[in-house]
Amino acid sequence: AGEPLLAHDRIPAHKLILTARSPVFRAMLSSGMQEASADEMEITGCAVEAVRAFVRFLYCDDCSETVLTEHGWELMALADKYDVPALRYVCETYQAGCLDDTNALTTLQRADTHNAPTLKRKALEYIAQNKKAVTENPAAVRELSAELMVELMMRLAK
């Protein structure tokens, strides 16, 4: 998931932008939470470049294909965590365009994990249309949650 931000990895951002683009940031920065008074917050679990790309997106709605290729799933997680639907849409659209036999099951699981219903639907459709190639990957099938397994089996039975 990348290295955590270090003290020298501070990424400056304006509270006004953060609170305007994310209801989660709005709640964090306008309440009695530590972040509101500390003038900084820690974002963990993602590479520094993913967090930089996230902040850039909050400012200008821009995300390059290179960034999506390298950090698309981290950006999807950040979009989900901080409730940024525009970024979620960009990530879902990109990942849907990357669906293939080798990643469809993983994409399905990640789409479910990161609250990306459009991508989840597209992954299910892809799997239903490419059953043999996708289901020949038993390790990926075992990674699916029980709920997704049931959903997938129902879809394949149609």
Side-chain angles (χ1 to χ4, degrees):
E3 294 296 316
L5 289 173
L6 302 173
H8 64 276
D9 291 323
R10 289 194 169 112
I11 301 169
H14 296 91
K15 284 183 183 180
L16 182 62
I17 299 294
L18 299 178
T19 59
R21 297 300 305 267
S22 164
V24 175
F25 283 137
R26 188 176 314 114
M28 289 169 68
L29 296 171
S30 64
S31 69
M33 294 181 75
Q34 176 184 353
E35 292 83 2
S37 60
D39 282 338
E40 65 180 39
M41 64 184 72
E42 184 176 352
I43 296 178
T44 60
C46 293
V48 173
E49 288 309 311
V51 177
R52 280 194 176 91
F54 176 63
V55 172
R56 177 180 168 82
F57 186 87
L58 295 177
Y59 272 82
C60 60
D61 282 336
D62 180 50
C63 198
S64 72
E65 188 171 337
T66 301
V67 168
L68 287 167
T69 300
E70 293 176 20
H71 303 290
W73 289 113
E74 290 170 295
L75 289 169
M76 177 84 77
L78 289 166
D80 184 38
K81 181 177 181 176
Y82 294 104
D83 193 11
V84 181
L87 179 57
R88 180 182 296 120
Y89 173 79
V90 168
C91 293
E92 281 187 87
T93 302
Y94 178 78
Q95 296 298 344
C98 295
L99 276 169
D100 64 26
D101 294 349
T102 64
N103 68 17
L105 291 163
T106 302
T107 298
L108 175 62
Q109 181 67 55
R110 288 177 172 179
D112 187 58
T113 300
H114 297 304
N115 192 29
T118 302
L119 181 58
K120 180 180 172 181
R121 181 181 47 76
K122 289 184 181 197
L124 281 168
E125 288 171 3
Y126 182 92
I127 294 165
Q129 293 170 359
N130 300 281
K131 295 174 195 167
K132 186 173 188 255
V134 174
T135 55
E136 287 179 353
N137 187 350
V141 172
R142 284 192 296 273
E143 294 294 318
L144 296 177
S145 68
E147 295 83 12
L148 272 181
M149 183 64 77
V150 169
E151 198 171 341
L152 177 59
M153 292 300 119
M154 291 176 61
R155 179 68 185 235
L156 292 174
K158 287 185 180 181

